[in-house]
Amino acid sequence: MPFNTKTACRGALALGLAALSALSFAAEVDVEGYKFQDTVVLHGQTLPLNGAATSSILSTRSTAVAFYLPRKQTTMEAAVAEKGAKRITFFMMRDVSSRDLANAMLDRIRQNAAEEFNKNIIQTAQLGVIFGNRAKLLKGDQCTIDYDPVKQTTEFSLNGQKIGDTIQGESFFPMMMKVWIGPKVRGSTRDGLLGSVPAK
């Protein structure tokens, strides 16, 4: 059979596209239909996805959340102690009032990070008004919490737009991490974010 250059090119192109598609699929993690990339670039650092899970921060499953750290960590202690840029990002899985979300976060902080809470009274008060410009967060909204190690600041963004004031202090971000991986958080959420179990 004579060699058909056109057919060979088409075949190579199809294989290339299939390989690219497979790579794209492998480059994200799906949690209940919400997708998280396997790496992000933040403040000049490439951060791997540490883990992802659903969270029942408001009694019922309300968020799909992921942690990005400079190095993968499997314990709460190592994760909160990790130096460098860090990111927490979550998608809303249902509509929630801003007040309810802020109060739920504050309750989690009191339950899981009492020592940090006492050191971050002013910063925690700022957290209470971060979402104040919106009555509610809607299903599908994405919130990102970023830590800048050079400035030692934390910033919140909603759907790509900064919200609230920049929060100062090195100990604030580890306190926020414990909202999702603290000792009194649901085990499956903590294990998923610490990479102990695959995301579902």
Side-chain angles (χ1 to χ4, degrees):
M1 182 184 292
F3 182 75
N4 189 317
T5 306
K6 239 180 227 187
T7 303
C9 287
R10 283 182 188 142
L13 179 60
L15 286 171
L17 289 172
L20 183 60
S21 176
L23 284 171
S24 297
F25 179 78
E28 59 187 24
V29 170
D30 186 299
V31 179
E32 300 283 342
Y34 297 97
K35 294 177 171 55
F36 299 98
Q37 295 300 306
D38 65 349
T39 62
V40 298
V41 177
L42 178 64
H43 301 305
Q45 284 187 262
T46 298
L47 308 178
L49 176 67
N50 199 76
T54 59
S55 173
S56 300
I57 193 171
L58 290 149
S59 299
T60 59
R61 287 194 305 176
S62 302
T63 61
V65 58
F67 277 16
Y68 292 89
L69 305 176
R71 295 176 300 171
K72 290 200 173 187
Q73 302 293 351
T74 58
T75 67
M76 179 193 74
E77 293 79 7
V80 299
E82 187 67 37
K83 301 299 182 182
K86 290 173 277 194
R87 169 173 286 180
I88 302 167
T89 185
F90 60 88
F91 289 96
M92 299 305 302
M93 298 177 68
R94 62 186 180 91
D95 294 0
V96 173
S97 82
S98 298
R99 179 179 293 179
D100 286 348
L101 180 61
N103 286 341
M105 286 183 175
L106 291 171
D107 285 343
R108 282 280 186 90
I109 288 168
R110 293 187 188 100
Q111 294 166 11
N112 292 279
E115 184 177 340
E116 293 93 331
F117 174 75
N118 291 331
K119 294 177 181 177
N120 288 276
I121 298 295
I122 294 173
Q123 292 88 336
T124 305
Q126 288 179 271
L127 173 63
V129 297
I130 284 287
F131 304 103
N133 63 337
R134 289 178 61 126
K136 63 171 58 177
L137 275 71
L138 305 178
K139 181 179 179 180
D141 280 350
Q142 182 181 18
C143 182
T144 301
I145 309 169
D146 288 337
Y147 178 67
D148 182 340
V150 176
K151 297 178 180 177
Q152 297 186 349
T153 56
T154 299
E155 290 190 350
F156 287 71
S157 297
L158 185 63
N159 300 326
Q161 299 295 316
K162 182 185 173 185
I163 55 172
D165 294 330
T166 299
I167 297 178
Q168 305 288 330
E170 186 179 13
S171 61
F172 178 80
F173 194 90
M175 180 181 75
M176 288 303 304
M177 293 174 73
K178 289 186 179 180
V179 169
W180 290 277
I181 59 170
K184 295 184 180 179
V185 174
R186 188 178 63 163
S188 60
T189 298
R190 183 171 53 250
D191 291 345
L193 289 168
L194 294 173
S196 302
V197 295
K200 296 182 180 178

